[in-house]
Amino acid sequence: MKQGDLLKIKGELFVVVEVLKASLKTIRVTENPESEYSFHDEMEWTHEELKQIGGFTQAGQLTQQHLNKAKREEIFNKVKQFYNLFHQRPDFVPGSSHINYAGKVYDEKEMVALADASLDFWLTSGRFSKKFEQEFARFLGVRYALLTNSGSSANLLAMSALTSPKLGERRLRPGDEVITVAAGFPTTVAPIVQNKLIPVFVDVDLATYNISVNEIEQAISPKTKAIMIAHTMGNPFNLKAVMEIAEKYKLWVVEDNCDALGSKYDGKLTGTFGHIGTSSFYPPHHITMGEGGAVYTNDPILKMAIESFRDWGRDCWCPSGCDNTCNKRFGWQLGQLPHGYDHKYTYSHLGYNLKVTDMQAAIGLEQLKKLPEFVERRIHNFNRLKEKLSVLEDIVILPEATTNTEPSWFGFIMTVRDGNMYSRNKITQMLEASNVQTRMLFAGNLIKQPAFEGVEYRQASHLTNTDKIMNDTFLVGVYPGLNDDMIDHMAEKIIESVNKAKL
């Protein structure tokens, strides 16, 4: 008796996965018409038990491929048991449980997928990465989706791709301007500076926290070549207005969609209107793979540039472990290299190594299946919280969805109204003391941050609302890990904290 033997026991088929001194460890097997096997629950049979039921009959031997699958199933069963023992979420206890503003939501499927990819031991991008890129592009309805190691890297790749010589006269060059906002996350703007471009800052609207579209045209100069802005808190900016301006002035548009996966504008997913969209898969975001991000586009030239910048700047597009996809690996002549120089070591950009691992992508694939229910829960939590906080509308500005949108909310953002003599800092300190986690709108006003000292930029308008956000805005969570009891308790604590925070 050895591993891989198929046995008929009590009319059912089992495969031996381990032979012990006094017993056999087996997994129940079913065979489909194509002679493929499905593997189910584990069973251990003592020799005494087998004698009592009349023994077993030999039914063949699994191939190495099928044995590999059976052994994996044995491990997966252990992983599921581990999840059930150690990864169950504790019950919520009002007053003592901590309510995070965001976090990962997962079950045993993500842990099994991670184990599956780990057992391949393909330590870079591989079969799971390729499948995720295909599935993610299909979800978004775009031609190309490329995985990278973070949302910040996705933004860097997006802006870097616009500097590619492959774009000819439309490429961005040092000193060109990019319209953006200062009220947001720093790595929406950092790639502009890192590519020696000039960020041009426009103010935002309160309630939506998105770019004031009526200020964009007055910010445009002969040097302006692109717009790069985020959908703040999952609330889409006015894409109709932005895309019309971009078309009128022949500007590139990069949608930072990191906080808005699943949001819709006019029935279409955000991230798919501009020339390039980006996503983040860091744990607080709509889906996670730990660290991770994606860049997507419908433009084949941009796709090639993004991929090149991600993969060391190389001109070759062969995936890891593959050679000569173009069938002329030694038939190229590029730059001043000699004819026939190995295309795998020919570089068309000064790039990076920003790839993701297959272990991350495996987790992402399971998360992607959950995305529709995650989005539904975010919307539910947002609506429930807004209804309960309506009693505060005279004191704080509650968030409003942009017209003609269906936001997949990242968080619930509030701003203390002018003239009310209420302190944002007191509110957040009391909430934190009540175990309700809070956050600012990221950098507040980015140009007031120490990192921006000495950075060249242009301010196209008074950033009045941006400064207001820096001083008076805070947010709490609506992520799918929050249930109704948690939302209700959080609303109660917000109302209580606001009422105690008068100066």
Side-chain angles (χ1 to χ4, degrees), residues 79-95:
V79 171
K80 292 172 188 175
Q81 292 171 20
F82 189 89
Y83 168 82
N84 288 325
L85 281 170
F86 301 111
H87 284 261
Q88 294 291 333
R89 290 167 60 88
D91 292 336
F92 173 65
V93 180

Side-chain angles (χ1 to χ4, degrees), residues 356-374:
V356 76
T357 69
D358 240 21
M359 285 80 78
Q360 292 165 273
I363 296 168
L365 278 166
E366 292 302 325
Q367 286 275 291
L368 190 56
K369 296 173 186 175
K370 295 179 170 70
L371 180 56
E373 65 186 80
F374 284 171

Side-chain angles (χ1 to χ4, degrees), residues 178-185 188-189 192 200-204 209-212 228-230 232 445-446 463 466:
V178 181
I179 291 174
T180 188
V181 301
F185 201 76
T188 306
V189 177
I192 300 170
V200 177
F201 291 109
V202 173
D203 207 7
V204 299
Y209 301 90
N210 282 315
I211 192 167
S212 297
M228 184 172 182
I229 44 180
T232 307
N445 183 344
L446 186 57
L463 303 183
T466 301

Side-chain angles (χ1 to χ4, degrees), residues 430-442:
M430 283 189 281
L431 285 172
E432 294 284 351
S434 299
N435 285 325
V436 176
Q437 192 176 49
T438 65
R439 288 292 186 267
M440 304 294 102
L441 179 49
F442 307 129

Side-chain angles (χ1 to χ4, degrees), residues 389-397 417-418 420 422:
L389 296 182
S390 61
V391 296
L392 298 177
E393 284 189 294
D394 290 339
I395 303 171
V396 298
I397 300 169
R417 291 185 184 276
D418 289 338
N420 275 317
Y422 286 81

Side-chain angles (χ1 to χ4, degrees), residues 129-148 277 279 281 293-299 303 306-307 310 368:
S129 301
K130 182 178 180 180
K131 187 175 181 183
F132 182 91
E133 289 176 338
Q134 292 169 342
E135 293 295 326
F136 195 52
R138 186 175 296 114
F139 169 81
L140 292 167
V142 297
R143 290 181 69 184
Y144 310 108
L146 298 164
L147 270 172
T148 186
S279 282
F281 305 131
V295 195
Y296 29 99
T297 183
N298 286 309
D299 188 314
K303 182 260 186 185
I306 293 163
E307 193 168 37
R310 184 193 66 180
L368 190 56

Side-chain angles (χ1 to χ4, degrees), residues 401-443:
T402 303
T403 302
N404 201 27
T405 67
E406 302 167 54
S408 173
W409 295 99
F410 178 79
F412 193 95
I413 189 165
M414 294 163 276
T415 300
V416 178
R417 291 185 184 276
D418 289 338
N420 275 317
M421 299 300 291
Y422 286 81
S423 167
R424 186 270 310 274
N425 290 350
K426 279 190 175 181
I427 295 169
T428 55
Q429 287 164 15
M430 283 189 281
L431 285 172
E432 294 284 351
S434 299
N435 285 325
V436 176
Q437 192 176 49
T438 65
R439 288 292 186 267
M440 304 294 102
L441 179 49
F442 307 129

Side-chain angles (χ1 to χ4, degrees), residues 192-335:
I192 300 170
V193 178
Q194 289 158 341
N195 277 286
K196 300 179 181 178
L197 306 166
I198 311 299
V200 177
F201 291 109
V202 173
D203 207 7
V204 299
D205 295 324
L206 292 178
T208 69
Y209 301 90
N210 282 315
I211 192 167
S212 297
V213 291
N214 59 346
E215 296 184 13
I216 295 176
E217 283 199 82
Q218 67 189 41
I220 294 172
S221 79
K223 290 185 176 181
T224 306
K225 299 295 169 62
I227 300 171
M228 184 172 182
I229 44 180
H231 299 288
T232 307
M233 288 292 109
N235 191 14
F237 56 78
N238 187 335
L239 277 154
K240 182 176 184 293
V242 169
M243 295 310 298
E244 284 176 354
I245 293 169
E247 187 174 348
K248 179 179 177 180
Y249 292 95
K250 294 183 170 53
L251 306 179
W252 296 105
V253 175
V254 177
E255 290 179 73
D256 181 339
N257 201 40
C258 291
D259 293 339
L261 185 59
S263 294
K264 292 180 180 179
Y265 183 93
D266 196 20
K268 182 182 176 184
L269 288 167
T270 55
T272 66
F273 288 79
H275 300 93
I276 305 175
T278 62
S279 282
S280 171
F281 305 131
Y282 189 63
H285 289 279
H286 291 64
I287 62 172
T288 188
M289 50 180 71
E291 303 287 351
V295 195
Y296 29 99
T297 183
N298 286 309
D299 188 314
I301 297 174
L302 287 175
K303 182 260 186 185
M304 288 179 66
I306 293 163
E307 193 168 37
S308 175
F309 273 105
R310 184 193 66 180
D311 298 355
W312 307 284
R314 66 181 187 168
D315 200 71
C316 172
W317 56 86
C318 292
S320 296
C322 295
D323 294 331
N324 205 25
T325 303
C326 63
N327 291 318
K328 56 173 187 174
R329 177 179 169 187
F330 299 104
W332 294 82
Q333 197 287 307
L334 296 171

